[in-house]
Amino acid sequence: MKSLWSDTEARAAIEEWSGAGEDVALRVYTSRLIGAESDLVLHGGGNTSVKTTFTDPLGVAIPAIHVKGSGWDLASIEPAGLPGMDLEALRRLRALDALSDEAMVNQIRIRLFDAGSPTPSVETLLHAFLPAKFIDHSHADSILALTNRPDGVKIVADLFGPSVPIVPYVMPGFALAKFAAAVAEEAAASGHSPIGLVLLKHGLFTWGDTARLSYERHVELVDRAERWLASSRRRLVRIETAVDLGAAEAEAALVAPILRGRLAAATSDPDRPFRRVVLDRRASAEILEVVNADELVEIADGNPLTPDHVIRTKPRPLVIQPPAERTTAAWTDAISAAVERFGVGYRAYVAAGIAARDPKKPLDAVPRVVLIPGVGLFAVGASRKEARIAGDIAEHTLRTKRASWEAGAVYEGLPDVDLFDLEYWSLEQAKLGKGAEKPLARQVAAITGAAGAIGRAIAAKLLEAGAHVALLDLDLAAAEALRADLAAKFGSGAVEAIRCDVTDEGSTVAAFDEVCRRFGGVDLVVPNAGIARSAPLSHLSAEEFRQLFAVNTTGVFLTLREAAARMRLQGTGGNIVVISSKNVMAPGAEFGAYSASKAAAAQLAKVAALELAKEGIRVNSIAPDAIFATGPTPSGLWAAVGPDRARARGMAPEDLPDFYRRRSLLQTPLTGEHVGNAVVFFASNQTPTTGATLPVDGGLAEAFPR
């Protein structure tokens, strides 16, 4: 690891954050340098501080400390993420013999200069008790690889010497703050001039009088550990199965929905019978080398690199050995049995923790990391964002454990009882947040024709309701552009763009396979792709007629079939909402091919409702009238047929929207958002309904059911 310090960038940071003062500005700058290194910190791990002064409203200068606030990521931190506190008031707490977690957090919060600040790190008192001006703390992979082994203390002592004292494991909080500060003071009293601390099974602290010195000491120690590991490599993993990325992709498409279904927890609510999860799959050559290795269980076994990770990954991953026969039934049996074994093991771990400690309400027994030889790594979460965090940690954990194993070490994580304390620690669980979930949270949706006006509106409404969305479209460039727009608002993990030609069986199968690989499965499918042609039957060619049926009918058939197949693998029900048309009930002259193809699709939806109800899959339709645009996206259908429809009515094309508005009973303009609202209604199981058609047409008497 090398220093990323730049004098030019440091000066720019001082100028950019001049309002916070030079000390805090440089603290932000070097915090970001640390945050940029995934080998140092992951997803909020680690923290930094600086001691400076604060001038109160009366003009009194007060010794202050700024510490990273909860919820802030070092990679993108700003001055607001380093709340300031009264340093001397915090230091006086060291005189106490003990301080409960709740009291400690309260003492930290009442010492804030700004009551609206985020709560500072639980390690604030450790930063305060140490005398150095700038302090950096990380969970560096290489340091953890050294300390999570039986001979770790000797290796660290030999490698770093007495200027970096070693602190035995103590659970974070007041006790650790006092103990670590005492270790540093003892080293200083012995004349060793400490520059940092190694906390066993926890991480690394360094400090200095300047931001640069503290940061570069950190980098230098981590680099020394990395070099030691590299030079100590004695053996390579033995690959049981050759790394075949193509085969892994094909297997994952089958395995993912089975796994996702077995990880879903049943509920007592008939309208929301399962509490689903979302998967994030990793299958790089490096990951497959480890999951395909003879030593997979040995490498993967053992508790997390640092206790902080347990709230994201659980104590250990679930390893699923592939069945001898790679059939759907065999995979289902193998996955079901493995998930059950994991649950039994986790509940035993909790029972042992409760027996040794105070009673706790058990958390769910769902694994957060799953390793499958020949397939890859699956991370599990309530959302893809959560799953990605678990996946990032798991990937680093595998890499670090492999490095430790190849250096000839036996991996030795924190004992279960101590790990239990961290997993069930209220201050750790608070990092996850417990807000109410949105109506479509934990669901994965796929929309065909997603880049069009109606598809765009449906996607936005589903994302607003908490769903994850796969944008399926023949025009991948348009789908990618839409994905970028939606990701900027809803997060990159929530939305994906996938090419799909609904008229082509192979393309449709491949698209749904890809949805399963990226999200783990699918719960809501919206067959929306459609085209139109305006012409009297006498002027309509057979080829034009076939084209409309290929998209509007065959495309719906293929989408229904593939959606049902994936939902069956999951076994958790689902929703299919077909975007039909008011023309099914009220066809229009010179719109024969469109009306007939949509009517055929409507019949397919009703048949699917009959066939899939026993599997908990609801199939409904929405019948909108003309939707001309959604935001910047015009309707491709109306761009194609609008001029002819206007000409048939003796009006200019620009007058069509007002014509369609005025012909409805409510005389209201229709938007794609209205269609999106209807999809959310069905997808959220507001009523026990299947086989129905919901008009979104402003009220058209000729389209009333009869």
Side-chain angles (χ1 to χ4, degrees):
M1 183 172 289
K2 297 184 182 301
S3 171
L4 301 177
W5 176 278
S6 162
D7 288 336
T8 301
E9 292 177 358
R11 286 192 296 271
I14 293 171
E15 182 177 345
E16 179 177 358
W17 296 303
S18 59
E22 182 173 324
D23 287 342
V24 173
L26 289 173
R27 177 70 286 174
V28 171
Y29 171 59
T30 52
S31 296
R32 289 188 171 194
L33 294 183
I34 290 173
E37 298 277 9
S38 60
D39 290 344
L40 292 179
V41 295
L42 281 175
H43 301 291
N47 41 70
T48 58
S49 69
V50 61
K51 297 178 179 73
T52 183
T53 58
F54 171 78
T55 303
D56 72 9
L58 299 176
V60 178
I62 301 172
I65 184 171
H66 292 258
V67 182
K68 194 203 86 164
S70 178
W72 282 85
D73 191 322
L74 289 177
S76 57
I77 198 165
E78 296 181 359
L82 289 159
M85 293 159 282
D86 185 327
L87 176 61
E88 294 303 325
L90 294 177
R91 282 179 165 167
R92 285 194 293 272
L93 296 174
R94 192 174 174 186
L96 297 173
D97 292 329
L99 189 64
S100 71
D101 296 332
E102 294 74 14
M104 179 184 71
V105 172
N106 183 60
Q107 286 296 318
I108 290 171
R109 283 211 58 84
I110 64 176
R111 308 305 176 189
L112 286 166
F113 296 128
D114 182 348
S117 297
T119 298
S121 165
V122 296
E123 289 167 325
T124 290
L125 293 184
L126 176 48
H127 285 266
F129 294 169
L130 293 170
K133 183 177 180 69
F134 288 89
I135 300 176
D136 295 312
H137 169 45
S138 80
H139 302 150
D141 291 347
S142 60
I143 300 296
L144 294 168
L146 296 182
T147 61
N148 285 325
R149 48 188 291 163
D151 55 353
V153 172
K154 182 179 186 309
I155 292 172
V156 171
D158 291 344
L159 193 61
F160 296 153
S163 65
V164 185
I166 299 170
V167 180
Y169 178 78
V170 176
M171 185 171 169
F174 181 71
L176 174 61
K178 288 192 66 170
F179 186 47
V183 170
E185 288 172 352
E186 183 179 346
S190 300
H192 295 305
S193 301
I195 63 171
L197 295 170
V198 169
L199 277 57
L200 294 184
K201 304 184 188 304
H202 184 152
L204 173 69
F205 276 80
T206 58
W207 51 75
D209 293 334
T210 67
R212 180 173 186 172
L213 180 59
S214 180
Y215 163 69
E216 292 192 334
R217 280 174 170 171
H218 210 89
V219 170
E220 194 276 329
L221 294 177
V222 170
D223 179 68
R224 204 183 301 178
E226 290 175 341
R227 290 177 183 275
W228 187 94
L229 288 167
S231 67
S232 302
R233 197 177 189 196
R234 302 175 190 172
R235 53 186 174 174
L236 301 176
V237 297
R238 297 184 303 277
I239 309 301
E240 179 180 325
T241 306
V243 174
D244 186 335
L245 296 178
E249 293 295 291
E251 201 83 80
L254 170 64
V255 169
I258 298 173
L259 175 63
R260 182 168 180 254
R262 299 313 169 274
L263 296 179
T267 75
S268 58
D269 185 346
D271 290 321
R272 295 162 187 81
F274 292 95
R275 184 175 172 82
R276 298 182 174 101
V277 297
V278 180
L279 305 184
D280 178 60
R281 174 174 171 264
R282 313 290 175 97
S284 66
E286 181 185 24
I287 288 174
L288 286 172
E289 280 184 358
V290 179
V291 299
N292 289 359
D294 290 349
E295 302 86 2
L296 171 61
V297 173
E298 182 180 353
I299 293 172
D301 198 22
N303 289 333
L305 300 179
T306 183
D308 279 6
H309 291 170
V310 71
I311 61 171
R312 302 289 189 178
T313 66
K314 294 288 188 185
R316 285 174 281 276
L318 166 63
V319 176
I320 302 177
Q321 297 297 341
E325 296 184 11
R326 306 297 180 91
T327 63
T328 300
W331 268 117
T332 300
D333 289 344
I335 291 170
S336 299
V339 170
E340 177 60 28
R341 285 195 301 272
F342 183 92
V344 170
Y346 181 78
R347 285 187 284 272
Y349 152 85
V350 172
I354 290 174
R357 301 289 193 254
D358 296 332
K360 304 282 186 181
K361 180 180 178 181
L363 302 171
D364 69 78
V366 176
R368 297 300 191 268
V369 179
V370 181
L371 307 174
I372 307 179
V375 182
L377 181 159
F378 290 95
V380 183
S383 67
R384 194 147 175 251
K385 179 181 178 181
E386 280 189 18
R388 281 182 165 181
I389 292 172
D392 288 346
I393 293 172
E395 194 169 341
H396 273 260
T397 299
L398 274 187
R399 185 181 302 123
T400 304
K401 287 183 176 180
R402 174 181 178 169
S404 182
W405 184 89
E406 290 184 335
V410 174
Y411 181 83
E412 188 179 73
L414 195 68
D416 278 1
V417 68
D418 293 314
L419 194 68
F420 174 84
D421 288 342
L422 259 293
E423 184 179 2
Y424 283 77
W425 190 24
S426 61
L427 301 188
E428 283 292 292
Q429 285 296 319
K431 295 178 181 179
L432 299 178
K434 301 294 182 183
E437 291 190 327
K438 294 182 178 181
L440 299 186
R442 300 171 177 266
Q443 290 203 38
V444 177
I447 308 166
T448 66
I454 293 179
R456 181 187 192 97
I458 294 171
K461 285 295 181 180
L462 293 178
L463 288 162
E464 285 177 7
H468 302 75
V469 176
L471 307 168
L472 276 51
D473 203 283
L474 178 62
D475 186 344
L476 182 57
E480 283 286 4
L482 175 58
R483 184 208 60 78
D485 287 348
L486 295 172
K489 182 175 182 181
F490 298 104
S492 61
V495 58
E496 293 277 0
I498 299 169
R499 186 183 183 278
C500 180
D501 179 354
V502 296
T503 70
D504 181 88
E505 184 174 13
S507 177
T508 306
V509 171
F512 275 88
D513 281 350
E514 189 62 22
V515 173
C516 291
R517 280 189 286 265
R518 298 192 193 186
F519 292 104
V522 65
D523 312 297
L524 166 64
V525 174
V526 185
N528 169 67
I531 61 173
R533 173 81 166 87
S534 178
L537 296 178
S538 59
H539 289 69
L540 192 67
S541 72
E543 178 57 28
E544 289 171 328
F545 191 83
R546 281 192 291 268
Q547 286 177 351
L548 264 71
F549 266 77
V551 176
N552 298 348
T553 306
T554 303
V556 170
F557 157 68
L558 290 173
T559 303
L560 286 168
R561 189 189 71 181
E562 296 308 310
R566 299 332 185 273
M567 291 177 183
R568 285 192 182 103
L569 288 176
Q570 293 173 158
T572 57
N575 278 283
I576 302 173
V577 183
V578 177
I579 305 304
S580 185
S581 170
K582 77 88 188 173
N583 285 67
V584 172
M585 298 298 290
E590 301 186 8
F591 230 34
Y594 179 81
S595 299
S597 62
K598 282 291 190 178
Q603 285 294 88
L604 285 173
K606 291 178 181 179
V607 171
L610 294 170
E611 295 178 355
L612 299 178
K614 62 181 179 294
E615 318 220 30
I617 302 170
R618 308 180 185 197
V619 186
N620 294 288
S621 298
I622 296 169
D625 200 5
I627 306 292
F628 290 92
T630 294
T633 305
S635 166
L637 184 151
W638 280 98
V641 304
D644 288 339
R645 302 305 288 164
R647 188 163 44 251
R649 289 182 166 84
M651 63 179 64
E654 59 268 23
D655 294 332
L656 275 177
D658 193 55
F659 167 80
Y660 278 94
R661 178 189 64 77
R662 287 186 288 105
R663 78 175 186 175
S664 70
L665 295 174
L666 297 177
Q667 295 198 1
T668 184
L670 302 178
T671 68
E673 285 77 8
H674 293 135
V675 180
N677 289 337
V679 173
V680 171
F681 169 77
F682 281 129
S684 54
N685 292 344
Q686 295 295 303
T687 59
T689 302
T690 193
T693 299
L694 176 62
V696 179
D697 58 14
L700 295 173
E702 63 269 30
F704 286 179
R706 56 187 179 274

